[in-house]
Amino acid sequence: MTDITMIRSAAARLRGHARRTPLLSSPFLDEIAGRRVFVKPECLQHTGSFKYRGARSAVSALDPDARARGVIAFSSGNHAQGVALAAREHGVPSVIIMPSDSPRMKIDNTRALGAEVVLYDRDTEDRDAIGARLAGERGLTLIKPYDEPQVIAGQGTTGLEIAEDANALGVTQADVLACCGGGGLTSGIALALEADAPGLRARPCEPQGFDDVTRSLVSGKIERNARLSGSLCDAIVTPQPGDITFPIMTRLCGPGLVVSDDECLHAMALAWSRLKVVAEPGGAAALAAALFHVDQIEGDAVFATISGGNVDAGVFQTALTRFA
Amino acid sequence: MTDITMIRSAAARLRGHARRTPLLSSPFLDEIAGRRVFVKPECLQHTGSFKYRGARSAVSALDPDARARGVIAFSSGNHAQGVALAAREHGVPSVIIMPSDSPRMKIDNTRALGAEVVLYDRDTEDRDAIGARLAGERGLTLIKPYDEPQVIAGQGTTGLEIAEDANALGVTQADVLACCGGGGLTSGIALALEADAPGLRARPCEPQGFDDVTRSLVSGKIERNARLSGSLCDAIVTPQPGDITFPIMTRLCGPGLVVSDDECLHAMALAWSRLKVVAEPGGAAALAAALFHVDQIEGDAVFATISGGNVDAGVFQTALTRFA
């Protein structure tokens, strides 16, 4: 199970590979939030999201013989690109299973990073069967997107950096808001903060209607989302919290925060105008919570991750047209 | 006159204040350029441009009595915001003289950073006379935008960071492309590279029709631009190279590179999609040169500054519509 020792080992393996992202801030955002807002822009990470950290951590932790046979992942999004790049950097093959109706850009980007993309028809084909067959034939190792200890450890390196920067700033008490799908980033950050900045508390941020983690933290058991489509925040929509991530979040996290698609678009426009970084809708969920749910946050400082920036131009232009 | 000792002193004064910006890269940009491209995103600097470095350097270098009386600057753009923030951080007043037809957003932002904004009519009023009167009445110190040794020293701290990162990467020979107006950033970087990465060479990048520095480097004497309006790259349009910056650039810089407005818009779209940062048109000039003028660049690696990201939503959307 992931613990701080695994996270520190992941950090050592990622050194010189993962980008050490800075903390960003703006007096204009501080004014909106009524407190200091520190933003961790993982959109600046390789492949445009924090997912590279977990993917690189997992691929680099594999037994060399297993790694040499290659890795496989199910993803149409940020995890796909993270795994593809991590595999290429290790000189091993990667297979990414994607729905055939995935955006062309995401397919092209994943292929360009060296992956073999295998498309399946969502209506007529069983993706797990395809993956199991390929994995069996080639001896590929599955890299899960969040419910995998070495992936959580990699995401947790984000938390080590937040803790280091918070300590340098002298901020000892604050909420750390994390964009949350299956909980890999949130639980990894929570473990890192527990060790290195125990006055800081991780809190998951989710889209309205897809707040499975927030509800699960309230009820104390794993709750599912009623549906899996219909949110602009596709990058952080998952069926339910992970079996590994949920107990970590239960033990360490504060209450979840739930934001609307419009709040995410507004936060994207403010990240553009005030921080000069590109957020995707789901990647802006934590910043949206920091800026627009100020009454649910305690203390005179708050940290917010921007978990990714892989967004279509059309959606981005909508954010600017409506809120810039 | 600015030298490496002044730049290192400026770096010491800026430590903990100016943001230590990372180097960004993308395999997709490398492929376009046919070499490795390392981007220094000064759009992530406080106030959204490198200008904060020079402003903070100059304000912090003032005699405390002079500083306490306050500072004054002529600028409608990035220098204005840099001076305003640097003054506020020192707890001293700042006066910024701007044309009355400046974009409302720039006026508001500069005021919000604590400056007293004094507007003048370009057609009927003499801005220098207004500035001289205010400076005389209040004992304000003028902070020039580029032809000022402590401003150049501050901009040069960008070069110290590029040199440090290049050395860590093992890159010992490369062109370092700088977006160039009056030459403060370019000459500051050139001095820093001379000391800390002597195999790296600074080169100014300018918009077509406003290539005064490029032409001056060819002729060996200061050449003026025929006009001062009509470029999207307003942030880097100045009448002519500075009297202090030009001799530094003559001694240390490689030939200038000249880019079109369309190339800058294209580079803005690629910075958005591949690096997840926001560039203004003039701030994208060096990246445009790195990507679209590859035959004029030598070596298997190139560095490009993104000097700023303060751009109107409309111009940004044009870049995305046309090139994303």
Side-chain angles (χ1 to χ4, degrees):
Chain A
M1 205 55 60
T2 312
D3 60 16
I4 187 65
T5 305
M6 276 179 71
I7 297 175
R8 293 202 207 285
S9 297
R13 294 198 305 282
L14 265 55
R15 197 158 295 137
H17 301 287
R19 200 165 270 145
R20 207 298 185 189
T21 51
L23 272 190
L24 303 179
S25 60
S26 159
F28 298 98
L29 299 186
D30 295 352
E31 188 176 335
I32 293 170
R35 55 173 62 87
R36 286 186 297 168
V37 179
F38 298 105
V39 175
K40 181 71 170 170
E42 280 296 304
C43 47
L44 303 181
Q45 191 52 262
H46 296 295
T47 71
S49 91
F50 75 97
K51 290 282 190 180
Y52 170 77
R53 294 180 187 258
R56 171 108 199 173
S57 168
V59 171
S60 63
L62 288 176
D63 168 82
D65 289 340
R67 183 166 61 225
R69 290 191 295 273
V71 294
I72 187 168
F74 301 100
S75 170
S76 61
N78 292 332
H79 180 57
Q81 294 188 52
V83 171
L85 180 60
R88 185 172 77 177
E89 290 174 343
H90 282 86
V92 305
S94 65
V95 175
I96 309 292
I97 315 274
M98 284 189 180
S100 52
D101 58 353
S102 301
R104 172 59 50 186
M105 166 73 97
K106 292 193 173 177
I107 297 172
D108 290 347
N109 282 352
T110 307
R111 281 201 177 119
L113 291 168
E116 176 186 346
V117 174
V118 175
L119 301 174
Y120 71 97
D121 185 312
R122 288 182 202 254
D123 295 325
T124 64
E125 293 186 282
D126 176 352
R127 100 183 175 167
D128 292 322
I130 295 171
R133 179 176 57 75
L134 284 168
E137 287 172 5
R138 307 191 195 174
L140 305 172
T141 301
L142 175 66
I143 309 289
K144 293 192 219 171
Y146 50 87
D147 226 20
E148 151 60 44
Q150 289 294 2
V151 169
I152 297 170
Q155 320 308 26
T157 62
T158 314
L160 295 181
E161 295 173 8
I162 292 171
E164 183 183 356
D165 289 347
N167 290 331
L169 288 162
V171 177
T172 56
Q173 298 276 335
D175 283 349
V176 177
L177 311 186
C179 306
C180 187
L185 179 64
T186 309
S187 62
I189 288 176
L191 288 166
L193 297 178
E194 181 189 27
D196 285 6
L200 271 54
R201 177 178 69 159
R203 297 179 65 183
C205 299
E206 298 179 292
Q208 274 176 9
F210 306 87
D211 58 344
D212 51 305
V213 172
T214 298
R215 288 183 290 110
S216 299
L217 288 175
V218 170
S219 73
K221 61 184 174 52
I222 287 182
E223 308 279 352
R224 295 181 62 83
N225 285 319
R227 57 200 168 99
L228 290 178
S229 61
S231 171
L232 265 183
C233 301
D234 57 309
I236 59 169
V237 170
T238 47
Q240 60 185 54
D243 291 331
I244 300 177
T245 60
F246 182 58
I248 300 169
M249 292 192 284
T250 299
R251 184 168 70 81
L252 294 174
C253 287
L257 293 150
V258 181
V259 297
S260 69
D261 278 0
D262 272 9
E263 288 170 339
C264 290
L265 289 170
H266 194 168
M268 288 166 65
L270 287 165
W272 172 85
S273 63
R274 298 310 186 185
L275 302 175
K276 313 303 177 191
V277 296
V278 179
E280 61 192 67
L287 181 59
L291 297 176
F292 307 126
H293 292 254
V294 296
D295 293 344
Q296 298 172 55
I297 297 167
E298 290 181 17
D300 60 1
V302 65
F303 294 79
T305 59
I306 291 181
S307 56
N310 293 314
V311 53
D312 290 337
V315 173
F316 198 81
Q317 298 209 46
T318 298
L320 295 190
T321 300
R322 291 189 50 201
F323 294 107
Chain B
M1 205 55 59
T2 311
D3 60 16
I4 188 64
T5 305
M6 277 180 71
I7 297 175
R8 294 200 205 286
S9 297
R13 294 198 306 281
L14 265 56
R15 197 158 295 140
H17 301 287
R19 200 165 271 145
R20 207 297 185 189
T21 51
L23 271 190
L24 303 180
S25 61
S26 159
F28 297 98
L29 299 185
D30 295 352
E31 188 177 336
I32 294 171
R35 55 173 62 88
R36 287 186 296 167
V37 179
F38 298 105
V39 175
K40 182 71 171 170
E42 280 296 304
C43 47
L44 303 180
Q45 192 51 263
H46 295 296
T47 71
S49 91
F50 75 96
K51 289 283 190 180
Y52 169 77
R53 293 180 187 259
R56 171 107 200 174
S57 169
V59 172
S60 63
L62 287 176
D63 169 82
D65 288 341
R67 184 167 59 224
R69 290 191 293 274
V71 295
I72 187 169
F74 301 101
S75 170
S76 61
N78 291 332
H79 180 57
Q81 294 189 53
V83 170
L85 180 60
R88 185 172 78 176
E89 290 174 344
H90 282 86
V92 304
S94 65
V95 174
I96 309 292
I97 315 273
M98 285 190 180
S100 51
D101 58 353
S102 301
R104 172 58 51 187
M105 166 73 97
K106 292 193 173 177
I107 297 172
D108 290 347
N109 283 352
T110 307
R111 282 201 176 119
L113 290 169
E116 176 185 346
V117 174
V118 175
L119 301 175
Y120 72 96
D121 185 312
R122 289 181 201 254
D123 295 326
T124 62
E125 293 185 283
D126 176 352
R127 96 181 179 169
D128 292 322
I130 295 170
R133 179 175 57 75
L134 284 168
E137 285 172 6
R138 306 191 196 175
L140 305 171
T141 301
L142 175 66
I143 309 289
K144 293 191 217 172
Y146 51 87
D147 226 18
E148 152 59 43
Q150 288 293 3
V151 169
I152 297 169
Q155 320 307 26
T157 62
T158 315
L160 295 181
E161 296 174 8
I162 292 171
E164 182 183 357
D165 289 348
N167 290 332
L169 288 163
V171 177
T172 56
Q173 298 276 334
D175 284 349
V176 177
L177 311 186
C179 305
C180 186
L185 179 64
T186 308
S187 62
I189 288 176
L191 287 167
L193 296 179
E194 181 189 27
D196 284 6
L200 271 55
R201 177 178 68 159
R203 296 180 64 183
C205 299
E206 297 179 292
Q208 274 175 8
F210 306 88
D211 57 345
D212 50 306
V213 172
T214 298
R215 288 183 290 110
S216 299
L217 288 175
V218 170
S219 73
K221 62 184 173 53
I222 287 182
E223 308 279 352
R224 295 180 61 83
N225 285 318
R227 57 202 169 98
L228 290 178
S229 62
S231 171
L232 266 182
C233 301
D234 56 309
I236 59 168
V237 169
T238 46
Q240 61 184 54
D243 292 331
I244 300 178
T245 60
F246 182 57
I248 300 170
M249 293 192 284
T250 299
R251 184 168 71 79
L252 294 173
C253 287
L257 292 151
V258 181
V259 297
S260 69
D261 278 1
D262 271 11
E263 288 170 339
C264 290
L265 289 170
H266 194 169
M268 289 166 65
L270 287 165
W272 173 85
S273 64
R274 298 310 186 185
L275 303 175
K276 313 303 178 190
V277 296
V278 178
E280 60 190 69
L287 180 59
L291 297 176
F292 307 126
H293 292 254
V294 297
D295 293 345
Q296 298 173 54
I297 297 168
E298 289 181 17
D300 60 1
V302 65
F303 293 80
T305 59
I306 291 181
S307 56
N310 293 314
V311 53
D312 290 338
V315 173
F316 199 80
Q317 298 208 47
T318 299
L320 294 190
T321 300
R322 292 190 49 200
F323 294 106

